[in-house]
Amino acid sequence: MSAPPLDAPAVAVPRVGMRFVVEGPPVGALWRRALLRAVLVPLPVLAPLVALAPSRDHRFNLYWHGGMFRDDPLRIVPHTVDSLPGYLRLGNFRLFGRMLEKALDTVAYALSEVLGLPVNVGFRLVSFVSAVLLCVAAVLLAESVVARGRLFRRPPSTVAAVVPFAVAAGFVAAGGSSPIVLFGGLYLASAALVLVVTAALCRIDPDRPFRLWWAPLLMLGGAALAAFNEIACLALPMATVAVLARGWLVLGLRPGRLFTAAPARAIALVWLGFLPVFLAVRVVIQRYCSTGDCYKGSDVRLTADTFEAFPVRAIAWLPPLQWRAALAGGGIGGLVLIVALIVLGLLAWHAIRDLPRLSQVGRRAALALVLTAGTLVVLGAAMGSLNADVQQLVTAGKWGHGWRDSAVTTTAGALLLAGGVHLVRKRWVVLTAVLLLAAAATVSAGANKRQRDLTMATPAARLADRVAVEMADFDPGPEGAARRCALRTEFVTLYGDSPFSVRRFDESLEIAARQRADVAFCPGVTGAR
């Protein structure tokens, strides 16, 4: 008979409580969503301009550059270098900027050829890509200023929810000289370069030891900025303010550390590479332009009109002023406005949904962003107010009309608004800002549609559009030659008082026709073989 089993002593079993934690998207997902909004938000605003006809130099440059460099893009480099003396005598340098311009024109031309689209559509698509890059760069700059640690190790801040809508609201075709209309790819990409350079310098860790091999690279970078174009030259003064403002307000560095740490040393070396090239070029240009024979589009004119123009250019980026220039007394409405409202409304809802999961921004960090953006507004306005064309716009009361400075002032103004909103630490303020700026971007889309309709109603735009269509569907036969000759006759009739324009038309279209099918654009007139 077996003994009864002994009861095991009672052992206290710990109670394991089940806790369900509802987590939001991981950091990487929040960054992807923020950057996706920066890519998508500008598109409905710019879409009404996708078929806008080329104007001014673009009537010729798209065919001229495309025809010359379509089959040999590397030829852009020696061609630009060889043309430098002539441009210096006209008063500008822009070595790398001209290379970029020719490359973008070649891409637009090749896109037209491959897809069978008119070259103006290819040109606008290239401009849209530059606008998207600028919007993404604005988000990255804002985060680079306000964030303390590693950029992508923490969720993006609530600034990233506001910036895309603010930037897109400024993408208005405010007159024929606006960078949204003229040289959009070049100037918007140049503005993106300014922001990227500033963001990169801001992200240098003050606690990181300075490496000697950085020095030649930083000096070469400074020299490259001086040889790019006028907009790129704004990068260095802006970056200087941004690095100092971030070090003082965000990182809390003491003055001794602020001016001797790795970011300050990097800035000094970039200046060291920038100044010799910039000053040498300005001396050469001054000697050539002392007689007043230079191209006034890049000439520097310091007069009483400069001081009158400066405050106007400092506020010309405001969307309501740009709407006034684009609408030209007309109204907005129709399908474009409805579609933009729906798309931007969905994107705004997407941003608002992410707000609780995004990093909060303190007042000191917001102030650093305001100082950085305000510096760029001042620099851009100063650059614009020194130009005779801009001074004439201000004298004529055209306050909201765009010029090349608008590529930086509109984006800087957007960052200024985003930083200013965060000086008030109330969540509802950020939410309201997203909604209001999305509404403003919707109006900008309607204004762009209105400007497109006004432009395309002119004989010059209709003719440029027909030339683009004829070149896209190129017919090398006799019937195609007859149509092209008829277009040339119309051009001569329209621009008979400008032999320079007629000569450029003949030269550029002839080069493109030879590249397309090895035939003359207008046999017996523009070329014979």
Side-chain angles (χ1 to χ4, degrees), residues 37 41 135 161-170 344 347-349 351 433-434 437-438 440-441:
R37 286 193 294 270
V41 169
C135 194
V162 178
V163 167
F165 298 97
V167 172
L344 291 169
L347 291 169
W349 172 80
V434 170
L437 290 169

Side-chain angles (χ1 to χ4, degrees), residues 329-340:
I332 58 174
L335 182 61
V336 166
L337 198 65
I338 295 173
V339 172

Side-chain angles (χ1 to χ4, degrees), residues 363-379:
R363 286 193 179 92
R364 290 175 65 87
L367 180 58
L369 182 58
V370 167
L371 289 174
T372 300
T375 298
L376 187 55
V377 169
V378 170
L379 291 170

Side-chain angles (χ1 to χ4, degrees), residues 20 23 92 112 116 145 149-150 153 180-181 188 224 229-230 279 289 337 354 409 412 428 434 449 455 493 509:
F20 295 93
E23 295 184 354
N92 59 58
S112 167
V145 171
R150 300 287 292 273
R153 297 290 180 85
I180 304 301
V181 175
L188 296 177
N229 59 21
E230 299 93 325
L279 294 176
C289 298
L337 198 65
D354 281 348
T409 55
W428 67 267
V434 170
K449 174 61 166 61
T455 301
T493 301
L509 271 299

Side-chain angles (χ1 to χ4, degrees), residues 184-201:
L186 172 63
Y187 289 131
L188 296 177
S190 300
L193 174 64
V194 171
L195 303 190
V196 168
V197 168
T198 304
L201 291 170

Side-chain angles (χ1 to χ4, degrees), residues 143-232:
E143 293 298 311
S144 297
V145 171
V146 303
R148 290 181 57 90
R150 300 287 292 273
L151 194 61
F152 298 108
R153 297 290 180 85
R154 53 180 281 285
S157 73
T158 51
V159 172
V162 178
V163 167
F165 298 97
V167 172
F171 286 154
V172 183
S177 297
S178 167
I180 304 301
V181 175
L182 191 67
F183 295 105
L186 172 63
Y187 289 131
L188 296 177
S190 300
L193 174 64
V194 171
L195 303 190
V196 168
V197 168
T198 304
L201 291 170
C202 282
R203 296 314 301 172
I204 297 176
D205 188 352
D207 296 326
R208 186 176 183 179
F210 188 85
R211 307 296 183 184
L212 288 179
W213 62 267
W214 293 1
L217 297 179
L218 291 167
M219 292 174 68
L220 284 174
L225 288 174
F228 202 90
N229 59 21
E230 299 93 325
I231 289 178

Side-chain angles (χ1 to χ4, degrees), residues 9 14 44-45 133 181-182 236 239 251 273 286 301 313 318 333-334 348 350 353 361 438 450 463 467 522:
V45 179
L133 290 176
V181 175
L182 191 67
L236 208 40
L251 303 180
Q286 177 59 30
R301 180 183 171 189
R313 296 313 295 177
L318 290 168
H350 188 272
R353 187 182 61 176
V361 178
R450 170 66 177 173
L463 176 58
V467 170
C522 180

Side-chain angles (χ1 to χ4, degrees), residues 41-50 127-128 131-132 171-172 180 188 445 448:
V41 169
L43 297 181
V45 179
L46 296 169
L49 303 171
V50 70
S127 300
F128 293 177
V132 167
F171 286 154
V172 183
I180 304 301
L188 296 177
N448 286 339

